[in-house]
Amino acid sequence: MIRRLPSAVVCSFLAATAFPAAALADPGEAEVEVTVDITEIKEPGVLALTVAAGAVALQENGSDLLVRQFSGTLPTVTVTDTRTLEEIPAGSSWAVLGSSSDFTGTTGQAPISAGHLGWKPRLLDGGDTGLVSEGEEVVTVLDEETQPGNNVGLVDQELLMSTYDSAEVTGGSYTVNAGLNLRTPADVAAGSYRATLTLSLFE
């Protein structure tokens, strides 16, 4: 014998089974995907000058009865060019120039003019193009000219290293140093002296 449930009970049962399915979806929410492409930062190339750390202590070498002579070596100077061809102005060249202050005595001695300091540049690495070269020797005011006008010392800006075509040597590093030579009269006052040699890169 089949027992029939009251109709009110049947309706209540069907309603109870339908509610959980409707609760799974929330009509008040939505999702949006967000994307971004981050490109690599491209730094512009640079033309830069660096000098190896360290001071130069000149040592007496080759003095005679008339002239006292002191020599040393300029720390290695490096020019690095990381620019692209598009970043280099047409017809550009670059050069490293140097000049010295006078030597001042630490205990009040009379100064020694920068004209008494000379140098002989030495190219250490000029790359493979042959377009980077060292400057000419500059001798002191106590020396005879080895070529016209070069016995002036490092009073003014003198050439250490250069190229006449920046575009042909970009992407490389080039190094140079120099033999330094201080020549003074034999009666120079004894004591410690200091000078500053300033190097500048121009294009």
Side-chain angles (χ1 to χ4, degrees):
M1 179 177 176
I2 298 175
R3 184 179 179 186
R4 183 176 181 180
L5 296 175
S7 59
V9 176
V10 172
C11 291
S12 177
F13 177 78
L14 293 176
T17 58
F19 287 149
L24 294 177
D26 188 341
E29 291 185 358
E31 294 181 347
V32 178
E33 181 178 313
V34 179
T35 66
V36 62
D37 292 326
I38 299 178
T39 60
E40 181 181 357
I41 296 177
K42 295 182 179 180
E43 296 288 345
V46 295
L47 178 65
L49 170 73
T50 56
V51 181
V56 181
L58 302 178
Q59 303 295 320
E60 190 161 11
N61 178 27
S63 298
D64 56 33
L65 294 178
L66 298 177
V67 175
R68 297 188 70 174
Q69 180 170 279
F70 307 84
S71 60
T73 302
L74 180 71
T76 298
V77 177
T78 303
V79 173
T80 302
D81 195 347
T82 61
R83 298 172 297 174
T84 64
L85 292 177
E86 291 75 18
E87 295 173 315
I88 299 174
S92 293
S93 60
W94 55 255
V96 179
L97 306 179
S99 60
S100 178
S101 67
D102 292 340
F103 285 80
T104 56
T106 58
T107 56
Q109 311 97 296
I112 301 171
S113 166
H116 292 269
L117 179 67
W119 70 11
K120 187 173 184 178
R122 292 188 290 257
L123 186 65
L124 303 177
D125 184 356
D128 300 326
T129 65
L131 299 178
V132 177
S133 59
E134 73 269 26
E136 300 290 343
E137 180 180 15
V138 176
V139 296
T140 78
V141 294
L142 295 184
D143 293 293
E144 295 183 2
E145 292 180 336
T146 57
Q147 54 183 322
N150 79 328
N151 65 331
V152 293
L154 298 179
V155 174
D156 203 355
Q157 292 181 327
E158 300 292 342
L159 181 62
L160 179 66
M161 177 171 58
S162 67
T163 182
Y164 60 83
D165 192 340
S166 297
E168 290 296 325
V169 299
T170 187
S173 291
Y174 309 99
T175 55
V176 67
N177 65 11
L180 300 176
N181 190 31
L182 177 69
R183 290 171 61 82
T184 72
D187 61 355
V188 65
S192 296
Y193 295 81
R194 288 189 174 88
T196 300
L197 182 57
T198 301
L199 301 173
S200 303
L201 174 61
F202 295 96
E203 183 177 47

